[in-house]
Amino acid sequence: MSNQNNKSIDAVIVGAGFAGIYMLYKLRQQGLDARVIEAGTGVGGTWYWNRYPGARCDIPSMQYSYQFSEDLQQEWEWSEKYATQGEILSYAEHVVERFGLADGMTFNTRVEASHYLETEDQWRVELDNGETIQARFVIMATGCLSKPNFPNIPGLDQATVPVHHTGSWPHEGVDFTGLRVGVIGTGSSAIQSTPIIADQAKSLTVFQRTPNYSIPAYNEPLDPDYVAELKSRYGEYRQENWQRGFGADFDDNDQSVFEVSAEERQRAYEERWAKGGLAFLAVYNDLVFDMKANDTAREFFKSKIATRVNDPELAEKLIPSTPIGCKRLCVDSDYYEIYNRDNVHLVDLNESPIIRIDGGVVVTESGHYEVDALVLATGFDAMTGAVMNIDIRGQGGLSLQEKWAAGPKAYLGLATAGFPNLFLVTGPGSPSVLSNMLPSIEQHVEWISDCIEYMNANQHRTIDPEPNAEEAWVHHVNEVAETSVYPGCNSWYLGANVEGKTRVFMPYLGVPPYVEKCQEVVAAGYEGFALTSG
Ligand code: FAD
Ligand code: N01
């Protein structure tokens, strides 16, 4: 199938989301010949694919943006506290245009395979258009949440009504006016989209397997005075955020839940709730580390959900029994209130699971639900899905699928032993999805580009993690996770949402110690990595 062009370049970057865009910028600054290959027809990654109604960021826009260019961060104007998908996509497009990166990107093309050629210390990258590129480095900027998870429901592939996954939404949009709509899933994507769908549709049926905690966003236009004040110290502010647990300013409080009285705690919870957003989790320093501390917040959330839903029986079904935070806390605009509408119905799949889709009918054990359109808000094969989708083969022909069959192993989430000169941006074992991802992406891209620069300056031919260092890091990632509530429920952090996927806690908890470790490794001459010369 391939026309063996055998073009040889310095680096292939897979993906044109925020990671791929910045990676290309950095490698070009070093004068390297790098090329981005992207499956979509444009840049933006997450923000290119997730065009469902209501899609927004949940980290405030003033923080969910690049910081590598002071000019860029001063010039760009966000309109709202949490920008819409459209605005974030425009921002990604603007960055590409501003830094003249488009000519280094190939769109509408998927990387199918990447094989290491041992005699040449090169990667042979195969594209789905038949082209082959040879490169010294391959950088997987393929995203943590980019491979949609399609539920294995009998009859789904023969549905006679339109079926849309939130992670792969039609560019032209979907008009639900007058339709009976079914939404499967109650994660962030469903929680953001259902209030808008409920407004449009004739009826909305939400199929819930596990309820989630959600806090209001209280989204609003950005106050120009606030923006001016922040921009006057933007660099400093960004620096401060590196010292914060999630790499984001959540107004972290360093007190324990148990250092304050019950009344004081209630007051603090109310205050955080009134502000809205993910910052709730930073109200005390042990909320995601101590189950008893977590319980106090759970009780608070339960009472809030109960006040937002008129029917107490229904409210009960919407209240999770899991620790708060062990699945990503959702941030909503009028989510629970949809259940007070006559045209919205909740189907609790714990009482009656979906058996099949029969044409345009969702059939559960105890009911038939006719729909005119079905939305799959069923999430992603997270952290590993996109990388494992590519036939990657390293030294000795070992495939990544084989190596990661019992769970992903990557040193610092940046590289995996046996696959020299292949880097992962926000790979498993790095803070990634447990952080403000844009700074984390920048930190990884800079680490990788510095490493390549170091290799070139010192005539190093390859870099590869040492297996012992990798094992020790994977062990450490799990050890840290065990000190928290995170492994305590069936989340995508563990791969539990994908049938047959090995359950291993994948992200690293704690931005400051992670960044410090990355710096220490470099200072010690890339400790834990084997470098070859020549
Ligand atoms: P992506 O944006 O996922 O880009 C990866 C790209 O790689 C995709 O375009 C994909 O098509 C391409 N690709 C993958 N495999 C191949 C292949 N084989 N060949 C060619 N191309 C390929 N994070 C936050 O920190 N804050 C938020 O508020 C936030 N909101 C989010 C909202 C949604 C709806 C979702 C789904 C995620 C959100 N995230 C958020 C996480 C978000 O994924 C990251 O913040 C960030 O956008 C990831 O950028 P990326 O470049 O690493 O990956
Ligand atoms: O996906 P999810 P998402 N039958 O995995 C259910 C980011 N994000 O797209 O919990 C029935 O959270 C599944 O049920 P269960 C953010 O990091 C951010 O919503 O597995 N149901 C769950 O309810 C987020 O965490 C924003 O029991 C099935 C839902 O589908 C991540 O992306 C917005 C099922 C999937 O929830 C993923 O969010 C959107 C089945 N067979 C996304 N399979 C912001 O707000 C799955 N489900 C910024």
Side-chain angles (χ1 to χ4, degrees), residues 4-171:
Q4 296 281 334
N5 282 346
N6 277 348
K7 288 176 201 158
S8 186
I9 62 174
D10 293 308
V12 166
I13 300 162
V14 191
F18 284 123
I21 294 170
Y22 187 40
M23 196 73 239
L24 180 63
Y25 171 81
K26 285 299 284 181
L27 294 185
R28 280 192 163 179
Q29 273 197 325
Q30 288 179 34
L32 299 184
D33 183 7
R35 186 164 153 203
V36 169
I37 308 294
E38 166 58 53
T41 57
V43 299
T46 289
W47 306 102
Y48 167 92
W49 295 105
N50 290 262
R51 298 174 190 235
Y52 62 81
R56 293 176 184 276
C57 54
D58 61 4
I59 301 268
S61 315
M62 293 296 289
Q63 297 181 61
Y64 187 68
S65 43
Y66 286 123
Q67 58 190 292
F68 70 86
S69 161
E70 179 60 14
D71 288 347
L72 172 67
Q73 69 176 0
Q74 289 296 336
E75 287 159 16
W76 184 262
E77 301 283 349
W78 293 107
S79 62
E80 292 174 83
K81 182 175 170 189
Y82 300 110
T84 58
Q85 166 272 328
E87 192 170 355
I88 304 172
L89 181 59
S90 302
Y91 172 73
E93 290 167 347
H94 168 75
V95 174
V96 170
E97 196 186 323
R98 191 187 188 288
F99 295 102
L101 299 170
D103 62 345
M105 298 178 166
T106 302
F107 295 108
N108 211 8
T109 306
R110 187 168 280 281
V111 170
E112 287 195 325
S114 186
H115 293 176
Y116 187 61
L117 309 174
E118 301 202 33
T119 49
E120 298 161 62
D121 289 328
Q122 292 262 320
W123 285 91
R124 194 184 68 225
V125 179
E126 291 175 18
L127 313 184
D128 66 356
N129 62 7
E131 194 186 341
T132 300
I133 312 173
Q134 208 158 298
R136 183 159 165 235
F137 296 100
V138 172
I139 296 132
M140 293 294 165
T142 42
C144 294
L145 297 160
S146 58
K147 184 183 173 201
N149 175 38
F150 286 88
N152 188 10
I153 302 173
L156 181 59
D157 52 352
Q158 284 135 38
T160 53
V161 295
V163 178
H164 305 290
H165 193 291
T166 51
S168 181
W169 199 258
H171 285 203

Side-chain angles (χ1 to χ4, degrees), residues 52 56-58 145 149 151-153 166 184-190 192 207 209-210 212 327-328 331 349 354 377-380 490 492 497:
Y52 62 81
R56 293 176 184 276
C57 54
D58 61 4
L145 297 160
N149 175 38
N152 188 10
I153 302 173
T166 51
I184 301 180
T186 46
S188 299
S189 300
Q192 282 189 329
F207 296 91
R209 191 164 67 181
T210 316
N212 256 307
K327 287 190 176 195
R328 190 180 179 92
V331 177
L349 299 179
I354 296 176
T378 47
F380 302 88
N490 292 330
W492 57 257
N497 62 326

Side-chain angles (χ1 to χ4, degrees), residues 41 48 74 77 92 184 219 223 272 278 296 382 398 412 432-433 476 486 494 502 509:
T41 57
Y48 167 92
Q74 289 296 336
E77 301 283 349
I184 301 180
N219 187 41
D223 171 3
R272 290 272 171 157
L278 296 175
T296 65
L398 178 71
L412 302 173
S432 57
V433 292
H476 175 62
Y486 283 100
L494 279 159
T502 309
L509 181 55

Side-chain angles (χ1 to χ4, degrees), residues 149-350:
N149 175 38
F150 286 88
N152 188 10
I153 302 173
L156 181 59
D157 52 352
Q158 284 135 38
T160 53
V161 295
V163 178
H164 305 290
H165 193 291
T166 51
S168 181
W169 199 258
H171 285 203
E172 64 280 12
V174 182
D175 184 4
F176 291 114
T177 310
L179 301 185
R180 295 163 301 175
V181 182
V183 172
I184 301 180
T186 46
S188 299
S189 300
I191 281 176
Q192 282 189 329
S193 58
T194 48
I196 297 169
I197 297 175
D199 266 348
Q200 259 188 19
K202 181 176 171 200
S203 69
L204 166 65
T205 307
V206 179
F207 296 91
Q208 170 184 277
R209 191 164 67 181
T210 316
N212 256 307
Y213 294 99
S214 188
I215 185 166
Y218 301 124
N219 187 41
E220 58 188 3
L222 275 169
D223 171 3
D225 291 340
Y226 163 76
V227 173
E229 193 278 323
L230 200 67
K231 283 191 173 179
S232 72
R233 56 180 177 93
Y234 224 158
E236 224 174 286
Y237 179 68
R238 300 285 205 171
Q239 276 309 313
E240 287 162 16
N241 287 344
W242 285 116
Q243 298 314 315
R244 298 183 162 122
F246 296 94
D249 178 9
F250 289 157
D251 192 13
D252 303 42
N253 175 11
D254 208 22
Q255 273 182 313
S256 155
V257 161
F258 303 109
E259 277 178 57
V260 299
S261 66
E263 294 73 35
E264 165 64 15
R265 191 155 60 232
Q266 183 69 14
R267 197 189 53 72
Y269 285 164
E270 289 288 0
E271 251 176 40
R272 290 272 171 157
W273 183 270
K275 285 185 184 156
L278 296 175
F280 187 93
L281 292 178
V283 57
Y284 294 110
N285 67 7
D286 44 1
L287 222 59
V288 292
F289 292 99
D290 182 317
M291 264 316 298
K292 286 210 171 78
N294 196 276
D295 284 344
T296 65
R298 284 180 51 200
E299 287 307 315
F300 178 79
F301 264 75
K302 278 165 74 169
S303 68
K304 286 296 181 191
I305 296 171
T307 60
R308 293 177 70 182
V309 180
N310 297 341
D311 174 351
E313 228 175 275
L314 192 52
E316 203 51 47
K317 291 183 180 170
L318 290 162
I319 294 173
S321 56
T322 47
I324 188 165
C326 76
K327 287 190 176 195
R328 190 180 179 92
L329 177 60
C330 302
V331 177
D332 73 273
S333 297
D334 302 326
Y335 170 64
Y336 292 107
E337 288 73 10
I338 64 172
Y339 296 102
N340 299 329
R341 304 173 60 131
D342 291 337
N343 70 332
V344 177
H345 310 282
L346 180 81
V347 175
D348 184 345
L349 299 179
N350 289 310

